[in-house]
Amino acid sequence: MNLTLKIWRQQDANTKGKMVDYPISGVDEDMSFLEMLDVLNEDLISKGEEPVEFDHDCREGICGACSLQINGEPHGPDRGVTTCQLHMRMFNDGDTITIEPFRAKAFPVIKDLIVDRSSFDRIQQAGGFISVNTSGNTIDANAIPVNKHDADDSFAAATCIGCGACVAACKNASAMLFTSAKVSQFALLPQGRVEATDRVLNMVRQMDEEGFGNCSNTGACEIECPKGISLENIARMNREYIAASVKK
Amino acid sequence: MSGMLNSTIARKVAMSLSALFLLIFLLQHFIINFTSVISENTFNELSHFMGTNVLVQFLMQPILIFAVVFHFVMGFILEIKNKQARDISYASYKGSANSSWVSRNMIYSGLVILAFLVLHFIDFWFPEINHKYIEFAPEDPTRYYHELVEKFHNPIRVGAYVIAFVLLALHLLHGFQSAFQSIGVSNKFNATLKSIGKFYAIFIPLGFIFIALFHFFNH
Ligand code: HEM
Ligand code: SF4
Ligand code: FES
């Protein structure tokens, strides 16, 4: 396939960026999107130009590092996949593909297509954990019985890889889906209930401090989430938040 | 109060509560208006009650006005904050791939409703307040029907009503369901709630349009 790539190039956080056109040929439809970008970069390097910087690590859909807004959608047009799992067969010969970094005030661009998603880490650090005694008398998690249904829902919420596609897709750059997944995964388990009140208040406070938007319930996040995290988690977080606010 | 509305979730809960109040009010308003199609007397009796009852006038009416003003002011605040959360916009943004048009454009359907409400206040509410609390005109319990019918003679006004209610339908097609999600309602009744929402969002505005057209063509 021959394609035209329109790629956001930005020297560093403080320099203004712009879209630059790159023609690319010989793209195989079995390549992943990142492999296609590898080919482009090989070409740029051989010509003595600076390669396009993009985030990636596992290249198998589990780390959440790869980002990219492709033709106006996070992780491109396919569903339930990350950019590293997106195949070039989703595109046609002659296509023009727009590639931009995830856009949010809370995700500042570091260089080219790489954004700083440490705001997610800070939300997680504000309460996305449980406190356990690890001094030698740690209680086995399985010692406490958990309702199967709750265990399944908790596990489903825990599959969130923190990729940020929900924020990128949302017209308000809201981080409600991510935060609600992290809140839910603990709220559903007896071990997580102990600190549930503080957890939801602290994580939402951090989310707001980072400058993410409000939730308009458009549902864009759920559609674009590579892990199928459900909007039900947002409703659960809203309930948890209301209950916690009344308590505190 | 402003302290309580400092978080994203608190703002949306408040937005939802004001909207739920408006949804109940709108249903009540529709039922009373609809009687004007069936019986002049019933409409006059109900309007007379609403217009003179102390609880309605001095408790419900202020709450309603507060809810309306709160709702659209908060709507603007949310819109501004949401715009700020994405300071650099995308060169290409495909909202249609993952969300409905109505859900992404609540502020625009809302603005049309707001314009309508201004017209509505000038048409009905200001004359009413003037009549009752400024001129202290003697109450005539049969005046309401004629006042209503007379308003629907003007085709331009009827046209504006129709447009506003179409936009209200669009607002509620997303809003009804969204209001429940915002206060955390998600259970086995979700599908039923969604259907009721769709029914309400289409049927109530359509009903208001019907009433306007009915009086326009019948008098
Ligand atoms: C006066 C003009 C109005 C404006 C400017 C307005 C604006 C808005 C906006 C911007 C939202 C979306 C908030 C968000 O993105 O989270 C919204 C939500 C909503 N509006 Fe309105 N609106 C108006 C009138 C009304 C009326 C008359 C009703 C009902 C009778 C109504 C019912 C709703 C509902 C049910 C929601 C969903 C609340 C939620 O998401 O929690 N609105 N409105
Ligand atoms: S909720 Fe989904 S889209 Fe959002 S960070 Fe988690 S995995 Fe990514
Ligand atoms: S590189 Fe790890 S999810 Fe794509």
Side-chain angles (χ1 to χ4, degrees), chain A residues 217 234-243, chain B residues 9-10 12-18 20 176-186 193:
Chain A
N217 301 321
I234 295 183
R236 184 180 295 104
M237 179 161 76
N238 289 340
R239 282 199 299 280
E240 289 276 320
Y241 187 86
I242 294 168
Chain B
I9 296 184
K12 277 305 306 249
V13 169
M15 189 72 183
S16 161
L17 294 179
S18 68
L20 288 173
F176 191 99
Q177 202 272 129
S178 172
F180 287 93
Q181 170 81 1
S182 295
I183 50 169
V185 178
S186 113
L193 207 60

Side-chain angles (χ1 to χ4, degrees), chain B:
Chain B
M1 170 103 183
S2 65
M4 268 168 62
L5 295 176
N6 258 344
S7 92
T8 47
I9 296 184
R11 280 192 288 267
K12 277 305 306 249
V13 169
M15 189 72 183
S16 161
L17 294 179
S18 68
L20 288 173
F21 181 82
L22 293 180
L23 286 172
I24 296 169
F25 162 76
L26 196 70
L27 183 64
Q28 171 270 126
H29 195 345
F30 170 71
I31 292 169
I32 293 182
N33 278 20
F34 193 72
T35 61
S36 73
V37 170
I38 305 166
S39 149
E40 179 175 341
N41 279 342
T42 315
F43 179 74
N44 276 333
E45 274 167 32
L46 288 171
S47 303
H48 174 70
F49 171 79
M50 296 303 278
T52 51
N53 183 278
V54 179
L55 273 183
V56 173
Q57 286 295 301
F58 299 109
L59 182 69
M60 296 314 283
Q61 184 160 278
I63 295 178
L64 171 65
I65 291 172
F66 175 77
V68 173
V69 174
F70 181 91
H71 185 80
F72 75 74
V73 170
M74 186 56 93
F76 294 141
I77 293 175
L78 289 172
E79 179 67 17
I80 292 167
K81 290 200 174 281
N82 293 341
K83 282 276 171 320
Q84 285 169 347
R86 177 163 292 130
D87 46 355
I88 301 171
S89 47
Y90 287 112
S92 153
Y93 179 74
K94 205 169 162 197
S96 60
N98 48 39
S99 54
S100 66
W101 187 91
V102 285
S103 74
R104 280 176 279 122
N105 294 283
M106 292 295 276
I107 192 68
Y108 298 110
S109 50
L111 277 170
V112 176
I113 302 168
L114 184 58
F116 164 80
L117 285 180
V118 172
L119 174 73
H120 197 57
F121 266 47
I122 295 171
D123 267 3
F124 288 96
W125 201 71
F126 290 151
E128 188 64 22
I129 293 295
N130 187 38
H131 180 94
K132 279 194 303 221
Y133 303 120
I134 296 173
E135 288 179 354
F136 289 104
E139 170 68 356
D140 165 15
T142 61
R143 70 188 164 95
Y144 298 96
Y145 185 79
H146 298 290
E147 285 175 6
L148 174 86
V149 168
E150 186 199 323
K151 289 289 184 318
F152 291 119
H153 281 163
N154 184 342
I156 296 174
R157 186 184 276 116
V158 172
Y161 269 55
V162 172
I163 294 170
F165 277 107
V166 169
L167 268 294
L168 179 66
L170 297 180
H171 198 71
L172 298 183
L173 270 176
H174 174 67
F176 191 99
Q177 202 272 129
S178 172
F180 287 93
Q181 170 81 1
S182 295
I183 50 169
V185 178
S186 113
N187 51 38
K188 62 180 174 187
F189 302 115
N190 260 18
T192 320
L193 207 60
K194 255 190 187 154
S195 311
I196 296 174
K198 292 254 145 63
F199 182 78
Y200 184 109
I202 294 167
F203 183 77
I204 301 291
L206 210 63
F208 275 105
I209 291 175
F210 169 76
I211 296 167
L213 293 179
F214 179 87
H215 291 301
F216 178 68
F217 287 115
N218 276 290
H219 302 282

Side-chain angles (χ1 to χ4, degrees), chain A residues 153-201:
Chain A
D153 284 354
S154 170
F155 193 80
T159 58
C160 163
I161 53 176
C163 64
C166 41
V167 173
C170 177
K171 77 176 180 71
N172 309 334
S174 164
M176 288 284 279
L177 194 66
F178 165 78
T179 310
S180 70
K182 300 303 173 195
V183 163
S184 288
Q185 100 186 52
F186 297 112
L188 285 158
L189 300 178
Q191 292 92 336
R193 290 308 320 167
V194 184
E195 294 157 301
T197 304
D198 286 336
R199 177 180 304 112
V200 67
L201 294 176

Side-chain angles (χ1 to χ4, degrees), chain A residues 34 56-66 82 84 161:
Chain A
L34 297 188
H56 62 104
D57 187 18
C58 71
R59 294 213 176 192
E60 55 178 1
I62 53 170
C63 74
C66 57
T82 51
C84 58
I161 53 176

